[in-house]
Amino acid sequence: MSSDHHQPLLPPESAYDPTEKVHIVGVVDDDDDYTTTTPPFSWQKLWLFTGPGFLMSIAFLDPGNLEGDLQAGAIAGYSLLWLLLWATAIGLLVQLLSARLGVATGRHLAELCREEYPNWAGKLLWVMAELALIGADIQEVIGSAIALKILTNGFLPLWAGVLITAFDCFIFLFLENYGVRKLEALFAFLIAVMAVSFAWMFGETKPNAKELLVGLVVPKLNSRTIQQAVGVVGCIIMPHNVFLHSALVQSREVDPTKTGRVREALRYYSIESTIALAVSFVINLFVTTVFAKAFFGTAIADTIGLGNAGQFLEEKFGGGLVPILYIWAVGLLAAGQSSTITGTYAGQFIMGGFLDLRLKKWARALITRSCAIVPTLIVALIFDSSEDTLDVLNEWLNVLQSIQIPFALIPLLCLVAKEDLMGVFAIGRVLKTVSWLVAALVIAINGYLLQQFFAEEVTGVAFTSVVIVFTVAYVAFVVYLIWRSITVSTFGFLKLRSQAA
């Protein structure tokens, strides 16, 4: 676009009703509408824009990530902290691109995918997003259920914890009826609970400060820790979180037709997202270093998972004023509960965007929750007494989510680079190159994880044949998404222009 005045291609169809949005314009500034110029920085406005980034950061703190943290610490010690830092930076880049797409277009990723791709491809992308969401939700709900089981001294079985978590999710989402800021305050509280719990554990166990600093700045990797390294990177980009952030940023009142207002929003969202992921990095650091201090080099390092981690910590460090077992459980409960709510939230946007549903939010939440709660209940009933089997299931669920990453990442990178859609906010050549290199790295790492996993788990002619057929179809769809982004103009603009000529 030659003009600096940004005009969206389609009428904005916001993820939030106008009455639900946080009012920004006129709170601090003046009568200037800032059509082309960017308003000056304001701390008060930064506060008003703060919220979506912290909701997004929950996915970096869910039970699946915590399990990856504790296993990395127990098996690799402090040696993968540098990778945790860089993986968080990669995650920040992807989430900022998602926010950029949502703010500049006034629409979220699921809606845009429905418009961008043919009906069959859009429906397939929706199925992939739902599968990734269900896989993440099972881990998150089971994490909450494990925490409740610990806190009740085993009185509540896993299936009861699953039902409680599913039910109280609706209670928390009901807070949104009183304004999005109330819901954001709840998430801030849950993040604070995690920070205090895991910081307390950090203080109790006293990890080695020198080894911690060395682990942060000196890259180390060997054959024994490669699987944990892949896990650290693989957990960072959650497919449903990419969809979610592009919708969350629309909770603020920003006019996408005014370039200055869009630039202002992107500035504040970049700051608050960076702060939010810095907090999540510190919390992940606490968990990794606690288990590095406690179990690195021990005989039980390879056997630690979410279910038995608290008990092992209790045996290692004793009771104390507040038993470390319960401190761990409180942090795990906050992680599971918060990520379950954001998962339900993401499900509403994914289903509504891909299928163009016009349902009430509570109805979409009920459908989304039902899709995930049935398989989660089955998992809880089958694996309640088998921690080893539950850990194997977690590995399969991680694989399920790893498979889905290209189906969120590739559409995002294609859309955010299209000038017909993004106008002056389309990413430039340098950022586009960096973003695709990062995407290629993440997809390659997850490809390695899948190859290793299937090499160990896939046996038998029939199962192998199914996996080969699936792999061919999978690769073909990924290639199609990339090919289409190169050859087809967004929303058929080439066709429209040729007709106009």
Side-chain angles (χ1 to χ4, degrees), residues 57-218:
S57 74
I58 294 294
F60 290 69
L61 298 167
D62 71 354
N65 273 285
L66 296 183
E67 184 162 41
D69 291 338
L70 67 88
Q71 289 174 345
I75 297 172
Y78 302 89
S79 65
L80 295 181
L81 293 179
W82 65 275
L83 191 59
L84 176 63
L85 175 62
W86 282 102
T88 304
I90 289 173
L92 176 62
L93 172 63
V94 172
Q95 295 303 148
L96 289 180
L97 291 177
S98 176
R100 188 186 190 100
L101 181 71
V103 174
T105 64
R107 308 187 75 189
H108 59 82
L109 180 57
E111 290 177 304
L112 293 169
C113 284
R114 186 188 75 235
E115 299 289 345
E116 168 71 13
Y117 295 100
N119 185 57
W120 70 269
K123 291 295 191 293
L124 190 52
L125 285 172
W126 169 63
V127 170
M128 295 299 185
E130 291 289 355
L131 286 174
L133 185 59
I134 290 171
D137 207 41
I138 291 174
Q139 289 181 309
E140 292 157 2
V141 174
I142 290 293
S144 289
I146 289 172
L148 289 171
K149 187 175 182 179
I150 294 172
L151 292 171
T152 59
N153 289 318
F155 175 76
L156 279 180
L158 279 186
W159 64 265
V162 167
L163 289 177
I164 291 171
T165 302
F167 178 73
D168 62 23
C169 180
F170 286 108
I171 296 176
F172 290 138
L173 284 172
F174 182 71
L175 280 174
E176 192 185 7
N177 293 328
Y178 295 95
V180 69
R181 296 291 276 175
K182 303 292 191 302
L183 188 63
E184 290 170 353
L186 169 66
F187 281 102
F189 170 74
L190 292 173
I191 292 172
V193 169
M194 280 186 269
V196 171
S197 298
F198 299 135
W200 191 322
M201 289 171 53
F202 184 85
E204 288 277 318
T205 57
K206 298 179 176 61
N208 188 299
K210 181 180 178 181
E211 291 187 39
L212 189 158
L213 290 173
V214 170
L216 278 175
V217 299
V218 179

Side-chain angles (χ1 to χ4, degrees), residues 212-471:
L212 189 158
L213 290 173
V214 170
L216 278 175
V217 299
V218 179
K220 291 180 183 177
L221 202 59
N222 57 53
S223 58
R224 175 171 166 74
T225 61
I226 187 67
Q227 188 170 352
Q228 281 64 46
V230 169
V232 167
V233 178
C235 287
I236 286 301
I237 297 179
M238 306 287 283
H240 71 273
N241 208 39
V242 178
F243 288 99
L244 176 64
H245 200 199
S246 64
L248 290 175
V249 294
Q250 294 173 46
S251 61
R252 271 55 179 174
E253 193 176 55
V254 178
D255 187 348
T257 66
K258 296 179 179 178
T259 303
R261 293 298 182 187
V262 174
R263 291 193 191 282
E264 176 188 46
L266 292 176
R267 175 172 61 189
Y268 290 125
Y269 281 138
S270 297
I271 295 171
E272 69 112 14
S273 296
T274 302
I275 294 171
L277 289 195
V279 172
S280 75
F281 168 73
V282 172
I283 293 173
N284 284 313
L285 180 75
F286 285 156
V287 176
T288 303
T289 54
V290 163
F291 284 87
K293 167 71 173 180
F295 304 111
F296 178 55
T298 65
I300 61 172
D302 291 323
T303 65
I304 297 176
L306 282 181
N308 57 21
Q311 193 60 49
F312 280 139
L313 285 169
E314 185 84 354
E315 293 171 2
K316 181 80 173 181
F317 297 103
L321 178 63
V322 179
I324 198 168
L325 170 67
Y326 296 117
I327 299 172
W328 162 253
V330 168
L332 178 59
L333 180 61
Q337 194 65 73
S338 58
S339 57
T340 300
I341 300 171
T342 54
T344 303
Y345 216 35
Q348 296 179 45
F349 296 126
I350 289 171
M351 183 174 289
F354 275 112
L355 303 184
D356 196 21
L357 294 180
R358 300 293 183 221
L359 298 176
K360 295 285 189 182
K361 282 190 175 181
W362 67 265
R364 276 187 286 165
L366 181 61
I367 295 171
T368 303
R369 189 101 301 265
S370 300
C371 288
I373 208 64
V374 173
T376 307
L377 264 177
I378 294 171
V379 166
L381 288 169
I382 294 174
F383 300 119
D384 191 15
S385 59
S386 177
E387 291 176 353
D388 291 340
T389 312
L390 197 58
D391 287 338
V392 171
L393 174 71
N394 267 326
E395 290 181 13
W396 277 95
L397 291 175
N398 286 334
V399 167
L400 174 65
Q401 292 173 79
S402 297
I403 289 173
Q404 311 306 327
I405 285 177
F407 306 124
L409 206 49
I410 294 174
L412 172 66
L413 296 185
C414 293
L415 291 168
V416 83
K418 289 183 178 293
E419 291 187 12
D420 284 333
L421 175 66
M422 297 290 292
V424 296
F425 298 104
I427 58 175
R429 183 175 300 175
V430 174
L431 184 54
K432 186 191 301 184
T433 302
V434 171
S435 300
W436 276 104
L437 287 174
V438 165
L441 174 64
V442 171
I443 292 172
I445 287 174
N446 281 282
Y448 172 84
L449 176 64
L450 295 175
Q451 185 272 327
Q452 290 288 100
F453 183 79
F454 285 129
E456 296 173 3
E457 299 291 336
V458 176
T459 56
V461 176
F463 194 17
T464 303
S465 300
V466 170
V467 170
I468 290 173
V469 171
F470 167 79
T471 302

